[in-house]
Amino acid sequence: MASESPRANLKPLSLHVPEPKFRPGDAVDFTAVDIPAAGAARRPDTADEAKEFIDLAYSMVRVLDENNRAVGPWDPKLTPDTLRKMLRNMALVRAFDERMFRAQRQGKTSFYMKSLGEEAVSIGAAAALAADDMVFPSYRQQGVLISRGCPLEDMMNQIYSNSGDKLQGKQLPIMYSERRYSFFSISGNLTTQYPQAVGWAMASASKGDTRIAATWCGEGSTAEGDFHSALTFATVYRAPVIFNVVNNQWAISSFSGFAGAEATTFAARAVGYGIAGLRVDGNDALAVYAATEWAAERARTNQGPTLIEHFTYRAEGHSTSDDPSQYRSAGEPTAWPLGDPVMRLKNHLIALGEWDEERHAAQDLELAEMVKAAQKEAEKNGILGHGLHQPLDTLFDGVFEEMPWHLREQQAQMMAEEEASGRPWARKK
Amino acid sequence: MNMIQAINSALDVMMARDPDVIVMGEDVGYFGGVFRATAGLQAKHGKTRVFDTPITECGIVGVAVGMGAYGLRPVPEIQFADYIYPALDQLVSEAARLRYRSAGEFIAPMTIRSPYGGGIFGGQTHSQSPEGIFTHVSGVKTVIPATPYDAKGLLIAAIEDNDPTIFFEPKRIYNGPFNGHWDRPAENWSKHPGGEVPEGYYKVPLGKANIARSGEALTIICYGTMVHVCQKVVEEAGVDAEIIDLRTLVPLDIDTIEESVKKTGRCMIVHEATRTSGFGAELSALVQERCFYHLEAPIERVTGFDTPYPHSLEWAYFPGPVRIGQALKKIMKD
Ligand SMILES: Cc1ncc(C[n+]2csc(CCOP(=O)(O)OP(=O)(O)O)c2C)c(N)n1
């Protein structure tokens, strides 16, 4: 067939399939990663039109420099108290993750997901948002809940699916839902929260509210159709929403190239929609704070949506079910050129003379004890696998507002089954 | 072989035989899939034939339609059956109808593989059995194996088939048959006749059910994981049941069903999917239409409940030995 082609003198086409730079066993060299100097990016007025600062979708907003100083126009000039609070929250997320990861390994729950290396993304954003702005998170924004003061024990109850879990054991661990903290119910289906956040923001605007919405997804998830549908809606209706793309380089085993990173940045996704796009050093809590604050002001003053790409690195496995040594070089997490977000903020505070190693070590100890104590309390409500913690009849709750006949019949059948089995499972009172 | 190895072997055999066979999906390439069903295939067949895709299920199936129209035989993987919904429009409106709307000028010969079913603490979004939805769509075939032997033979048949096929893999029995007693030790395929899988090419035809156990007292119609649960329950109850493993829901082997129910006079249908409008409803209607005068008791349906799959209460949801056993007593009463 090829010989009959009128273009027989052309070489056959070939298909490009992206390949990450490093695989297991490879030595890591990140010198090719382009990292502009801290303070170099300009800061447009929040009233400027998106097309006036397209360059910011391709460069990188950075505040903390290599001497641990906050520099340039994006320095949010936070008080030492705010900085210490953010540092504490980031360290708390880390301690919480560590404890819950271990709980999963001990068989106390089925699943857990850490955000090691990405703590600045959620903590920086939460600090810049108002407490009643609605967040539509993905599964690695536990930092928002922690920032907003959700009791650790409540989070653990959910992770254990125990009798204290107000979601009645109906959700996978870490798929929190916390209306009290303006934290939307997390879905396991990637990126479905994106259009939902836009819908919520549109409703807020049409009601003349002053609250805005923020949502997060991973860089891999930007490929979902929902992402693009959400951006289209947001630009059409100028929805007061902040889109966060957490570019942590890996989507399970697939590197960011499989979501299009070889060709452009994720912040540049905004350009085609006429949305403001910022690319931010995601391991710099001050840069994340500053970008979020700027985007929130745009949203609150009816300038519409902003898309922020947080350039960061997932330092642990994707989840407790993942083994990253199977697909990436073990050297990557430590070689990551943007460093550790907790260490960077700590060193900044020390440079300011507002913190020291002793206090930091003492805080780490205190937080570990605090998490441990919360765990002890939560485990009094049971752990997954030790019998059934929810009254059996809750299985049918919440399918509809009122239970229709066929569900009532099935519920009765289940109860009869229970009688027959002789299992001592609890009933609703 | 276990079921994952059998599936891997089917893909390997078909890729070696036919250069048009393409494997793609989230994490299927270098890593070999989250369940490792495609492990080693990229290294052997090259990364233009086995590759990772962006995480967009509508994109995966849409691209497969175009590839099929070009003349390839894509075998896309949807990481969990729960994530097939974003692809529904490409599947229902495009793949399933391409032949019909182009009067045979274009076809979409693809085999969409996807792990389905519960029993692994997967929560609401890693446990569903959505097969009923696809049996409702004209133009799509639906296949569900119950043993490694069948998984390999049916997958090869599906890849060779020129229609779009949904191939649902019961993930609860990937590593071994499951008898429904979740508190007993897991079994292993090495001791099961269905775990004996030839290395090379063979086919198990689509549309032909398997009589997993022959008997005289009643007919149990089931598929996937439930075949093994039903076998255990029948053994424990000492009932002489005939167990039909459907293997494919569309096309359905109605003859084997009809013959069996007419012989036994009783029919029970077991599946893990939710009850209302589940495939069991269709089976029940079919049996009633065709075997009414032979029935000695009302048809029994044993299914999951009409709720989402609950994480911590998943064993209460699962149609296990207690639920099946009670239905068995009821149907054998008169
Ligand atoms: C619709 C859908 N498809 C596939 C999955 C399986 N899955 C869960 S997480 C994940 C990778 C996501 O990567 P990314 O968006 O980069 O986020 P990260 O985990 O790195 O934060 C995949 C493929 C899913 N949960 N939902």
Side-chain angles (χ1 to χ4, degrees):
Chain A
M1 224 169 76
S3 62
E4 290 163 20
S5 162
R7 296 181 298 277
N9 59 335
L10 281 178
K11 274 201 212 153
L13 292 166
S14 64
L15 179 68
H16 172 67
V17 178
E19 191 58 36
K21 293 258 185 323
F22 316 111
R23 285 299 193 186
D26 292 344
V28 173
D29 176 5
F30 279 130
T31 44
V33 178
D34 189 22
I35 299 170
R42 68 197 178 94
R43 186 182 187 278
D45 192 281
T46 52
D48 283 2
E49 280 189 47
K51 61 173 185 269
E52 304 297 328
F53 48 87
I54 286 172
D55 51 305
L56 293 175
Y58 298 93
S59 53
M60 198 184 286
V61 172
R62 306 183 69 226
V63 174
L64 289 173
D65 71 6
E66 46 295 346
N67 300 317
N68 306 310
R69 299 282 169 182
V71 296
W74 285 93
D75 176 7
K77 305 219 168 18
L78 300 176
T79 65
D81 275 348
T82 304
L83 293 172
R84 275 191 293 262
K85 180 86 190 149
M86 283 166 66
L87 179 65
R88 184 183 169 85
N89 281 336
M90 282 164 66
L92 180 52
V93 169
R94 195 165 281 191
F96 185 86
D97 276 359
E98 187 47 42
R99 198 89 205 161
M100 288 298 97
F101 182 89
R102 249 195 294 158
Q104 191 277 340
R105 287 292 187 254
Q106 290 164 346
K108 292 175 177 175
T109 189
S110 57
F111 183 75
Y112 192 72
M113 288 175 114
K114 283 179 153 186
S115 62
L116 189 74
E118 305 175 27
E119 293 90 345
V121 173
S122 55
I123 299 298
L129 290 169
D132 59 353
D133 287 334
M134 191 70 169
V135 298
F136 290 76
S138 173
Y139 41 69
R140 258 187 255 282
Q141 282 78 50
Q142 62 270 52
V144 177
L145 264 189
I146 284 182
S147 292
R148 289 184 171 180
C150 181
L152 303 181
E153 194 187 322
D154 290 357
M155 295 170 73
M156 290 169 174
N157 286 337
Q158 197 282 326
I159 291 164
Y160 288 141
S161 276
N162 64 19
S163 62
D165 173 14
K166 66 189 173 64
L167 302 183
Q168 298 177 313
K170 288 183 155 88
Q171 268 283 39
L172 201 61
I174 69 153
M175 303 271 167
Y176 311 106
S177 179
E178 284 289 359
R179 203 189 169 104
R180 294 178 293 172
Y181 300 99
S182 297
F183 189 98
F184 190 73
S185 152
I186 299 173
S187 172
N189 285 40
L190 294 170
T191 335
T192 53
Q193 70 276 17
Y194 251 59
Q196 293 162 1
V198 175
W200 193 95
M202 286 170 64
S204 177
S206 74
K207 284 282 188 189
D209 201 339
T210 55
R211 292 176 298 163
I212 61 171
T215 186
W216 287 259
C217 76
E219 87 288 346
S221 302
T222 59
E224 290 285 5
D226 304 66
F227 178 88
H228 302 277
S229 317
L231 266 58
T232 304
F233 263 74
T235 190
V236 167
Y237 300 99
R238 214 172 290 164
V241 60
I242 305 173
F243 297 115
N244 294 282
V245 174
V246 186
N247 180 2
N248 65 6
Q249 313 303 321
W250 290 94
I252 313 185
S253 76
S254 308
F255 87 115
S256 56
F258 282 106
E262 288 183 339
T264 185
T265 69
F266 291 97
R269 298 283 186 274
V271 174
Y273 293 94
I275 290 175
L278 296 178
R279 196 152 170 270
V280 167
D281 176 347
N283 287 14
D284 175 347
L286 295 188
V288 173
Y289 182 101
T292 307
E293 185 184 43
W294 183 88
E297 187 175 313
R298 270 182 77 83
R300 256 187 261 281
T301 53
N302 266 326
Q303 306 298 317
T306 300
L307 190 158
I308 306 173
E309 172 185 350
H310 303 266
F311 197 68
T312 182
Y313 188 85
R314 190 193 80 211
E316 258 284 3
H318 170 75
S319 72
T320 46
S321 312
D322 178 41
D323 174 8
S325 71
Q326 294 293 304
Y327 53 80
R328 70 182 187 191
S329 169
E332 283 196 15
T334 40
W336 184 244
L338 292 177
D340 176 330
V342 176
M343 290 307 125
R344 282 176 70 189
L345 186 55
K346 179 189 89 171
N347 292 336
H348 174 54
L349 269 160
I350 291 174
L352 290 178
E354 295 287 348
W355 196 240
D356 54 58
E357 295 286 359
E358 292 70 43
R359 273 197 275 177
H360 194 78
Q363 176 171 280
D364 274 348
L365 228 95
E366 181 218 328
L367 294 176
E369 282 308 316
M370 190 175 133
V371 171
K372 205 165 129 186
Q375 185 188 25
K376 231 173 139 182
E377 283 308 304
E379 288 182 5
K380 286 184 188 160
N381 299 323
I383 54 174
L384 184 68
H386 282 198
L388 296 181
H389 301 294
Q390 280 68 40
L392 199 55
D393 26 13
T394 59
L395 195 151
F396 290 86
D397 289 351
V399 181
F400 300 102
E401 188 176 12
E402 275 174 44
M403 202 183 291
W405 66 269
H406 68 287
L407 288 180
R408 256 184 279 126
E409 246 180 51
Q410 291 172 20
Q411 189 178 44
Q413 180 199 345
M414 182 182 72
M415 295 307 177
E417 244 168 56
E418 275 309 293
E419 297 299 336
S421 77
R423 283 175 294 210
W425 290 350
R427 303 293 150 81
K428 241 164 43 174
K429 291 181 190 87
Chain B
M1 279 187 205
N2 67 26
M3 195 180 280
I4 296 170
Q5 293 160 334
I7 287 160
N8 186 276
S9 172
L11 293 170
D12 190 26
V13 165
M14 288 312 289
M15 293 198 84
R17 276 171 78 95
D18 183 351
D20 290 338
V21 175
I22 299 287
V23 169
M24 61 175 185
E26 296 161 19
D27 299 296
V28 304
Y30 185 89
F31 182 57
V34 292
F35 288 102
R36 316 315 312 280
T38 57
L41 294 178
Q42 186 180 64
K44 190 159 169 193
H45 301 285
K47 65 179 187 179
T48 58
R49 293 187 62 203
V50 184
F51 54 84
D52 294 341
T53 61
I55 306 168
T56 165
E57 288 73 18
C58 61
I60 293 170
V61 175
V63 161
V65 171
M67 287 179 162
Y70 179 89
L72 300 183
R73 292 189 174 276
V75 189
E77 178 185 276
I78 301 292
Q79 205 158 65
F80 289 86
D82 314 66
Y83 306 137
I84 212 159
Y85 301 115
L88 217 55
D89 188 51
Q90 281 292 339
L91 230 147
V92 173
S93 313
E94 306 297 322
R97 294 191 203 150
L98 191 57
R99 179 195 297 277
Y100 193 79
R101 79 179 189 211
S102 70
E105 247 187 335
F106 296 103
I107 57 169
M110 68 175 80
T111 304
I112 300 171
R113 293 181 38 247
S114 193
Y116 91 105
I120 59 152
F121 275 114
Q124 295 173 19
T125 53
H126 303 79
S127 305
Q128 291 162 78
S129 302
E131 66 274 11
I133 292 170
F134 300 96
T135 63
H136 189 65
V137 176
S138 317
V140 176
K141 293 179 176 167
T142 304
V143 180
I144 302 182
T147 65
Y149 179 89
D150 280 1
K152 179 169 176 182
L154 288 166
L155 182 54
I156 287 174
I159 293 171
E160 287 193 346
D161 196 279
N162 280 329
D163 288 317
T165 302
I166 312 280
F167 192 89
F168 279 133
E169 302 167 7
K171 64 173 107 67
R172 188 65 182 82
I173 56 172
Y174 262 151
N175 293 311
F178 173 62
N179 62 23
H181 293 288
W182 50 276
D183 46 1
R184 294 188 195 168
E187 293 178 60
N188 190 310
W189 279 117
S190 64
K191 295 179 194 77
H192 191 282
E196 272 182 47
V197 179
E199 289 293 339
Y201 174 94
Y202 68 90
K203 276 205 277 193
V204 173
L206 306 184
K208 188 83 201 76
N210 177 38
I211 302 202
R213 182 192 192 281
S214 44
E216 301 293 328
L218 91 149
T219 301
I220 300 179
I221 310 173
C222 53
Y223 49 88
T225 304
M226 300 317 297
V227 174
H228 303 278
V229 180
C230 289
Q231 275 174 319
K232 187 70 187 174
V233 173
V234 161
E235 183 192 308
E236 284 171 354
V239 178
D240 185 24
E242 182 145 298
I243 299 177
I244 299 177
D245 166 11
L246 289 181
R247 281 183 179 145
T248 61
L249 311 193
V250 178
L252 182 69
D253 185 355
I254 189 68
D255 294 339
T256 298
I257 294 173
E258 198 175 327
E259 205 176 300
S260 175
V261 175
K262 284 183 175 164
K263 177 179 75 175
T264 64
R266 288 179 164 85
C267 177
M268 186 162 126
I269 297 153
V270 185
H271 63 58
E272 211 187 319
T274 51
R275 185 182 187 84
T276 301
S277 305
F279 192 62
E282 177 61 19
L283 289 170
S284 168
L286 286 169
V287 169
Q288 191 277 147
E289 285 162 3
R290 283 152 195 263
C291 311
F292 182 75
Y293 295 107
H294 298 264
L295 287 173
E296 292 166 36
I299 300 164
E300 272 293 314
R301 271 191 294 160
V302 184
T303 68
F305 297 123
D306 288 347
T307 70
Y309 222 112
H311 178 246
S312 68
L313 291 172
E314 74 169 0
W315 293 119
Y317 177 97
F318 191 85
V322 177
R323 195 173 311 157
I324 300 172
Q326 287 196 322
L328 207 56
K329 263 189 224 141
K330 191 170 156 209
I331 198 171
M332 296 309 295
K333 203 169 63 217
D334 37 40

